Amino acid sequence: MSETFGLVSIIMAAYNAADTLPTAVGSVLAQTYTDFELLIIDDCSSDSTRDVAQRFCIQDSRVRLLCNEQNVGVSRTRRRGLETARGEWIAILDSDDAWRPDKLEKQAALQQRTGAPLLYTGSAFMDADGRPMDWVLHVPATLNYRQILKQNLLSNSSALVRRDLYERYSVINDDLHEDFATWLQILHSGCTACGVDEPLLLYRIARTSKSGNKLRSAVMNWNTYRFTGLNPLQAAYYEIWYMVKGVLKYRNLK
């Protein structure tokens, strides 16, 4: 399949991620789809993130390390990875998440069947210490713009997207959910995303993350709606949907 699908560039922004990086990178190196490059971009970490990443570079030539000279935030860090990427397909993996071994293979197969320019998967969850949690986020077979406005079921670390779309619509703004804004704009352009309803992403719930702080996350979600062109009334309507869906999700994770 790698001969027909081509190179996947995996972008991993990392900041003080020395503890979680081995799990994340290890899950990439275990992929059954092997035609990939992994770009780890260290955002001027103060821990041993750079040393941990460098060891993987020595271990596997498909892993490359880029180092920011100063801390610039996650969206600009991902943009640097994109500018360096060589593949026609982009995958994002946060440095505290992980993939199941057949994640890329199943998405590549689905893309070849459907022609979708954007793909995603279901998710399993783990706590901050890496212990598995007993709940799975199921996803529909397809997602369009109207559906994703009510709930972002397209987890960033599950995404596989055509490079030209990601270059055109990726957002540099850490005051909102830049990944959500990207998917909204891609789907608003008329694309439909296709999903694999299996927990191929293992998502870490960390209270120190942007999504872990519920109030901050809600404000960023509002900013995302406004950034992508919704008027205040529309944004308020979908923000209510966001909060209801978020409460239901949190109850499941509890």
Side-chain angles (χ1 to χ4, degrees):
M1 180 179 295
S2 61
E3 295 178 355
T4 57
F5 191 74
L7 180 68
V8 176
S9 294
I10 303 160
I11 296 174
M12 182 181 293
Y15 176 69
N16 288 349
D19 292 340
T20 60
L21 201 61
T23 298
V25 176
S27 76
V28 173
L29 300 184
Q31 289 297 299
T32 54
Y33 185 92
T34 58
D35 191 8
F36 65 79
E37 62 174 358
L38 172 59
L39 305 172
I40 304 173
I41 310 96
D42 174 41
D43 192 19
C44 203
S45 297
S46 59
D47 67 357
S48 59
T49 293
R50 186 174 302 188
D51 294 334
V52 173
Q54 189 61 54
R55 289 198 291 270
F56 282 108
C57 294
I58 296 171
Q59 174 186 333
D60 195 309
S61 62
R62 294 172 297 179
V63 183
R64 290 192 284 154
L65 173 63
L66 306 173
C67 298
N68 294 341
E69 294 183 0
Q70 59 184 10
N71 183 269
V72 298
V74 65
S75 61
R76 287 180 175 82
T77 298
R78 288 192 186 124
R79 171 62 71 167
R80 184 180 180 194
L82 176 63
E83 292 169 351
T84 307
R86 298 178 295 205
E88 290 305 310
W89 289 91
I90 301 295
I92 310 297
L93 179 59
D94 290 344
S95 59
D96 55 354
D97 295 336
W99 289 341
R100 301 300 186 195
D102 53 353
K103 188 263 188 189
L104 289 179
E105 181 179 2
K106 289 189 172 180
Q107 285 187 301
L110 178 61
Q111 197 285 325
Q112 293 191 317
R113 292 196 303 271
T114 62
L118 174 60
L119 303 106
Y120 54 94
T121 78
S123 305
F125 296 85
M126 56 181 165
D127 66 16
D129 297 317
R131 292 184 293 259
M133 305 175 75
D134 188 22
W135 187 64
V136 170
L137 175 66
H138 290 283
V139 293
T142 61
L143 274 174
N144 59 34
Y145 176 68
R146 292 297 177 187
Q147 290 171 300
I148 201 174
L149 277 171
K150 292 183 177 180
Q151 183 180 17
N152 181 15
L153 291 172
L154 206 163
S155 298
N156 196 41
S157 286
S158 80
L160 179 65
V161 58
R162 213 171 60 205
R163 182 200 179 106
D164 63 310
L165 282 177
Y166 196 69
E167 284 180 325
R168 188 183 312 163
Y169 293 110
S170 61
V171 174
I172 299 178
N173 189 332
D174 290 338
D175 291 326
L176 47 78
H177 294 302
E178 76 286 344
D179 54 329
F180 187 25
T182 299
W183 313 141
L184 280 171
Q185 292 182 116
I186 290 175
L187 295 181
H188 190 256
S189 74
C191 296
T192 297
C194 289
V196 180
D197 188 21
E198 298 179 36
L200 303 180
L201 165 64
L202 186 57
Y203 182 92
R204 189 184 302 267
I205 302 295
R207 294 189 181 278
T208 56
S209 69
K210 290 194 298 183
S211 58
N213 184 316
K214 301 307 176 187
L215 177 58
R216 183 186 180 198
S217 184
V219 171
M220 293 173 69
N221 205 69
W222 171 268
N223 292 342
T224 303
Y225 287 139
R226 298 290 286 131
F227 175 86
T228 54
L230 272 63
N231 64 43
L233 186 60
Q234 292 170 321
Y237 173 77
Y238 287 112
E239 185 78 0
I240 291 171
W241 274 100
Y242 162 81
M243 290 188 290
V244 171
K245 295 288 188 179
V247 168
L248 294 175
K249 178 181 176 181
Y250 182 72
R251 286 175 58 188
N252 285 319
L253 287 172
K254 290 289 282 184

